[in-house]
Amino acid sequence: NNILKGSVSHNIVNNNASEIIFDTKELEIEKVELENGVKAEFNLTEEDPILGKGLVVKITPETKKVTIHYKTSPTSEAVQWLNPQQTAGKTKPFLFTQGEAILTRSWIPCQDSPGNKITYTASITVPEGLTAVMSAKSIPEKADGRFNFKMEQPIPSYLIALAIGDLQYRSLGERSGVYAEPSMIDACVYEFQDIENMITAAEELYGDYAWEQYDVIVLPPSFPFGGMENPRLTFATPTIIAGDRSLTSLIAHELAHSWSGNLATNSTWDDFWLNEGFTVYFERRITEALYGRDYSEMLALLGYQDLKQSVGELDKKDTHLKLELEGRNPDDGMTDIAYEKGYFMLRLIEETVGREEFDAYLKQYFTDFKFKNLTTEEFVTYINEKLPQTKEMNLNDWIYGPGLPANCPEVVSNKFKLVDEAHNHKPNDFASVEGLNPEKWTTHEWLHYIRGIDVESWEKNGLYEIADEAFGFTNSGNAEIAAAWFEKSILGGYEAVNPKLEEFLINVGRRKFLTPLYKALLEADKATLANDIYVKARPNYHFVSTSTMDDLLGYKG
Ligand code: BES
Ligand code: ZN
């Protein structure tokens, strides 16, 4: 029936209240009880299209526990139900949830704000042959098909997560491992070889890992994000399994959230950059520690390119670090600004005060805000006190002003300079140019090369065919390279990619890939093709992606 059915008990801190309000969306509330099964009166407020309905429960000042019996609906936004055909193994169904930003309320009635931290226990019953995992510690199974969990550290509701499927687990080291469908597990173990080293590097930078165990689950390709930092259990897209470990900086990113975001959490979604900007900074420090500065600078420069593009496309107000999302969906604020403008402001601080001092500051920050929340304003007060030099850095221009301030640090990548040089030659020629060595290029150099394609001249001079012949981009098994290439190919009218493009769009539900590809189709006057593909692909996408693509394509069902 694609419905979850059960109950949730909230143990509450009661400040002499006579009613308590929970967030719900598309939930059917069956009954509400207080202590000892005493029935409580409740009502649901009028539906808000973004926020859902408030569940208002009458309590007494003595009430310490409220239990809600409820059912989800098949369209509950957090939950994606996959039939066997939509999995790698094709024999068993799969389910996963995505909570961030405000989707948890569609599968658990709760006070669904990032400023509200809770611990939880859970008991999940699933059909035979399936395994349930959560963003919590697994407590060994007592009865068949019943899985028990405990999250002992306080977390915000957007980090509660569940996945159910035909899952295998393999350890990667002392405190890390990976879950995946059986046919994927070997490839995942190979890809994630460096996870233990990442944890060690992260701890050396900013203090002990607070969550005991760090596992990753590789989900079916419809997962709408690259990764999601669910505590103890990162959720990841299979599109990072490239076969050469070249896309694992995404794991460094989700791991870094174990400090930034999961320990020190944005109080509101207007402060989202506190989660993501710090995490991108931390991610690049981990990749620098493992793979060297040349490598992390390539990633920083790709990030800078994304930032420039976003600044060019977004409304001015949405390019401030501090957002004003009142009345809007918080998802609208989740752009490259939080990630990359946030990163560059932190890098500015690092470069101004010096790395040693900044690292000591960050370590203290993660200790002081462990299991707490903060707003942007609290961040400013805190950093001005600990690093007084920051008062002279015009941080307010970054936080409350548009675009990219003049003191933005510059990234120089010598590796990318060589890639730029390649564009002065035909794609089938530059392999022989001294010093270029494309046979040694990594994924990031190829990405920079593809981003540098001048669509008009490539189209005019037939360079798409030549490059494809030389490098096989259309058939690349690397999803980042394939997606970047498809986008340029659409814009340059190189239709040889179309069958692979269609296959990709039907198979992959990761929004970061879908948005630019559908946009490129529209820009290239291929709206009919875009819609034809979308109709076939849409049943495979999670709500996060359909909601964005429906808007983009004007889809009305
Ligand atoms: N927390 C985000 C994913 C997210 C953002 C979920 C906004 C819901 C709303 C996660 O940590 C993330 O940033 N993922 C990125 C990968 C990263 C390497 C930038 C992604 O999914 O692409
Ligand atoms: Zn993130």
Side-chain angles (χ1 to χ4, degrees):
N1 294 325
N2 291 0
I3 284 171
L4 295 167
K5 183 175 172 350
S7 66
V8 57
S9 293
H10 292 277
N11 297 311
I12 63 174
V13 179
N14 187 338
N15 296 315
N16 208 18
S18 57
E19 72 179 29
I20 182 164
I21 308 176
F22 300 98
D23 295 297
T24 76
K25 199 164 190 194
E26 294 189 80
L27 296 181
E28 188 183 314
I29 308 298
E30 291 171 344
K31 66 174 176 197
V32 182
E33 294 166 334
L34 310 181
E35 281 91 345
N36 307 316
V38 174
K39 279 216 171 157
E41 267 182 56
F42 68 90
N43 71 280
L44 287 163
T45 62
E46 204 185 312
E47 166 109 28
D48 177 285
I50 297 165
L51 301 174
K53 296 178 184 173
L55 169 64
V56 185
V57 180
K58 279 233 166 76
I59 59 173
T60 72
E62 286 74 45
T63 304
K64 298 244 153 29
K65 183 173 174 178
V66 181
T67 300
I68 304 156
H69 297 260
Y70 69 101
K71 276 191 212 162
T72 64
S73 65
T75 50
S76 278
E77 294 169 354
V79 189
Q80 190 175 12
W81 300 84
L82 297 172
N83 59 46
Q85 269 314 311
Q86 295 167 306
T87 67
K90 316 270 179 232
T91 55
K92 291 181 183 165
F94 204 105
L95 172 156
F96 68 82
T97 67
Q98 165 61 37
E100 194 178 13
I102 55 167
L103 306 183
T104 299
R105 65 190 65 190
S106 76
W107 73 287
I108 308 173
C110 63
Q111 295 192 326
D112 196 14
S113 152
N116 179 39
K117 294 204 178 187
I118 54 161
T119 57
Y120 75 86
T121 60
S123 181
I124 309 281
T125 308
V126 303
E128 204 188 309
L130 297 179
T131 299
V133 292
M134 289 191 82
S135 55
K137 185 193 286 190
S138 282
I139 310 291
E141 226 176 315
K142 282 199 205 89
D144 276 356
R146 204 170 175 84
F147 293 83
N148 297 304
F149 303 95
K150 190 170 185 155
M151 170 44 71
E152 290 166 312
Q153 294 94 332
I155 60 163
S157 52
Y158 74 85
L159 293 177
I160 304 175
L162 169 69
I164 301 169
D166 181 12
L167 294 173
Q168 249 182 30
Y169 181 74
R170 288 260 289 275
S171 168
L172 293 167
E174 229 172 277
R175 50 182 169 166
S176 60
V178 57
Y179 290 93
E181 289 188 64
S183 67
M184 299 274 297
I185 194 82
D186 286 333
C188 295
V189 169
Y190 177 84
E191 208 77 19
F192 296 154
Q193 206 51 48
D194 282 343
I195 283 187
E196 277 295 327
N197 293 336
M198 287 181 180
I199 303 173
T200 309
E203 286 192 313
E204 274 170 17
L205 282 165
Y206 304 129
D208 290 349
Y209 179 71
W211 310 88
E212 241 169 54
Q213 182 71 20
Y214 181 75
D215 294 328
V216 177
I217 177 171
V218 176
L219 296 161
S222 68
F223 187 57
F225 293 104
M228 178 64 212
E229 66 270 25
N230 299 131
R232 296 181 67 112
L233 183 62
T234 285
F235 281 29
T237 169
T239 61
I240 56 168
I241 309 300
D244 60 3
R245 301 178 182 156
S246 64
L247 301 177
T248 52
S249 63
L250 183 133
I251 299 294
H253 178 95
E254 306 312 333
L255 172 66
H257 271 303
S258 306
W259 288 257
S260 44
N262 297 6
L263 290 182
T265 309
N266 51 214
S267 281
T268 79
W269 296 118
D270 287 345
D271 307 300
F272 181 58
W273 79 273
L274 289 172
N275 276 14
E276 297 299 342
F278 275 79
T279 299
V280 171
Y281 179 83
F282 195 171
E283 164 206 334
R284 294 197 178 135
R285 293 296 303 276
I286 295 170
T287 55
E288 181 183 328
L290 263 68
Y291 311 117
R293 179 85 175 172
D294 274 357
Y295 187 90
S296 59
E297 283 294 83
M298 287 196 283
L299 296 178
L301 198 45
L302 290 169
Y304 184 78
Q305 294 164 3
D306 293 335
L307 177 56
K308 281 284 248 240
Q309 179 160 355
S310 295
V311 165
E313 289 171 358
L314 290 167
D315 285 350
K316 266 196 173 166
K317 268 214 144 176
D318 291 340
T319 69
H320 302 191
L321 284 177
K322 174 81 181 190
L323 299 168
E324 288 177 53
L325 294 167
E326 176 98 52
R328 292 166 68 190
N329 193 323
D331 205 48
D332 296 349
M334 298 181 163
T335 69
D336 287 327
I337 299 299
Y339 292 80
E340 298 295 345
K341 191 176 176 183
Y343 165 77
F344 279 102
M345 185 177 84
L346 294 172
R347 180 165 167 161
L348 167 70
I349 300 171
E350 179 213 299
E351 290 181 1
T352 312
V353 307
R355 184 171 271 196
E356 212 175 311
E357 205 176 330
F358 191 52
D359 279 352
Y361 162 82
L362 282 176
K363 202 167 184 176
Q364 192 62 44
Y365 168 82
F366 290 126
T367 309
D368 289 349
F369 290 99
K370 187 172 178 176
F371 303 129
K372 295 199 172 80
N373 287 92
L374 74 163
T375 61
T376 302
E377 290 66 32
E378 286 163 328
F379 159 80
V380 172
T381 307
Y382 180 85
I383 201 165
N384 283 343
E385 185 198 313
K386 301 278 175 187
L387 297 173
Q389 311 94 300
T390 54
K391 289 185 211 157
E392 316 301 322
M393 287 178 211
N394 299 329
L395 297 190
N396 280 345
D397 292 352
W398 286 79
I399 295 170
Y400 301 107
L404 256 189
N407 59 357
C408 183
E410 206 191 326
V411 185
V412 183
S413 166
N414 292 321
K415 288 194 183 286
F416 278 6
K417 281 196 185 141
L418 287 173
V419 174
D420 293 334
E421 166 62 21
H423 277 296
N424 298 325
H425 308 269
K426 275 196 164 182
N428 57 346
D429 261 8
F430 69 75
S432 58
V433 176
E434 221 190 291
L436 279 184
N437 306 327
E439 73 281 359
K440 292 206 184 108
W441 281 5
T442 63
T443 294
H444 303 101
E445 285 155 299
W446 286 114
L447 281 176
H448 183 64
Y449 179 71
I450 294 169
R451 286 180 178 201
I453 289 174
D454 180 276
V455 170
E456 260 174 53
S457 89
W458 272 52
E459 186 173 9
K460 198 170 75 203
N461 298 307
L463 299 186
Y464 285 101
E465 288 83 353
I466 293 173
D468 222 1
E469 179 110 336
F471 308 122
F473 291 140
T474 299
N475 293 311
S476 173
N478 184 306
E480 292 278 354
I481 290 177
W485 172 249
F486 292 154
E487 185 183 353
K488 288 289 184 182
S489 298
I490 296 165
L491 296 172
Y494 177 56
E495 293 185 352
V497 299
N498 284 9
K500 284 284 172 187
L501 166 69
E502 174 163 344
E503 190 185 314
F504 186 92
L505 288 171
I506 289 174
N507 185 38
V508 175
R510 184 175 173 188
R511 183 167 64 177
K512 187 188 105 173
F513 292 145
L514 303 183
T515 305
L517 290 175
Y518 283 112
K519 262 193 190 160
L521 285 168
L522 296 182
E523 218 174 287
D525 286 327
K526 301 266 166 51
T528 312
L529 179 60
N531 285 305
D532 289 350
I533 296 175
Y534 189 54
V535 169
K536 290 187 236 172
R538 193 176 183 279
N540 292 335
Y541 298 163
H542 182 275
F543 168 79
V544 160
S545 292
T546 57
S547 65
T548 305
M549 295 323 127
D550 285 357
D551 280 354
L552 184 67
L553 297 169
Y555 179 86
K556 303 239 166 47

